[in-house]
Amino acid sequence: MPKGKMKEIELIFDRQLMLSIAYEDGREVKENQFVNRAAIDVGEIHTITAVAENGENLIITGRHLRSIHRLRNKKLSELQRKMSKCTKGSKQWKRYNRAKRYVLSKSEHQLRDALHKTTKQFVDWCLATEVKEVAFW
């Protein structure tokens, strides 16, 4: 267990068992000494479009996120079509329902990973261009 004051412990099950622990480590937060500001526009086609005061800009495309959504919707519609032909609660209906839950869970993990990578790329850009404040449009 980590040293420090425990704030929250959470046990999560989503295709695997995970333990989440939030705690205070006692370290001081460093003040950001940068001077630039950036404005970002969040969208579906371009997930993040940003411009800084010094003229630097960044465009992060959202194609990967859209492809995950599209594949998920395609698989869900196929499973729901099959489920509609079954009697609710039957053995085959339960199999389709389990497959549907699996598709939803997997796509949720893929979306979370893609969004994490997108925001990580944006934060790295902010650090490289010395951005102190970010404004959302």
Side-chain angles (χ1 to χ4, degrees):
M1 296 297 287
K3 303 262 190 229
K5 182 180 176 186
M6 293 286 173
K7 296 181 93 178
E8 182 180 8
I9 298 176
E10 188 177 7
L11 187 62
I12 305 164
F13 181 79
D14 187 15
R15 293 192 315 164
Q16 63 183 357
L17 200 56
M18 296 178 279
L19 182 66
S20 173
I21 301 173
Y23 66 96
E24 289 183 15
D25 60 359
R27 292 190 289 180
E28 294 283 327
V29 178
K30 294 181 182 177
E31 181 65 29
N32 186 344
Q33 301 298 324
F34 297 147
V35 294
N36 290 328
R37 287 183 283 185
I40 70 169
D41 183 23
V42 182
E44 186 177 341
I45 295 174
H46 298 295
T47 308
I48 295 177
T49 306
V51 62
E53 281 183 332
N54 62 0
E56 294 284 327
N57 56 35
L58 173 75
I59 297 175
I60 301 174
T61 184
R63 285 179 185 244
H64 184 62
L65 291 169
R66 292 174 66 199
S67 71
I68 294 169
H69 277 288
R70 186 173 179 180
L71 181 64
R72 180 194 65 191
N73 292 340
K74 186 177 177 182
K75 289 189 176 199
L76 282 179
S77 69
E78 179 183 325
L79 286 169
Q80 287 172 342
R81 192 175 326 113
K82 289 179 179 179
M83 285 174 72
S84 69
K85 296 176 183 174
C86 297
T87 305
K88 186 175 180 180
S90 68
K91 199 172 191 179
Q92 189 62 45
W93 185 88
K94 288 178 183 177
R95 285 182 185 150
Y96 289 144
N97 198 33
R98 188 176 336 127
K100 186 170 112 176
R101 285 195 319 261
Y102 176 79
V103 167
L104 287 171
S105 176
K106 183 175 179 178
S107 66
E108 182 182 332
H109 283 278
Q110 288 175 334
L111 287 170
R112 188 182 328 151
D113 180 59
L115 284 172
H116 174 72
K117 288 177 180 175
T118 300
T119 54
K120 172 82 169 105
Q121 187 178 357
F122 173 69
V123 168
D124 290 343
W125 176 81
C126 286
L127 291 173
T129 57
E130 298 182 346
V131 172
K132 181 174 184 161
E133 295 177 355
V134 177
F136 288 89
W137 289 59

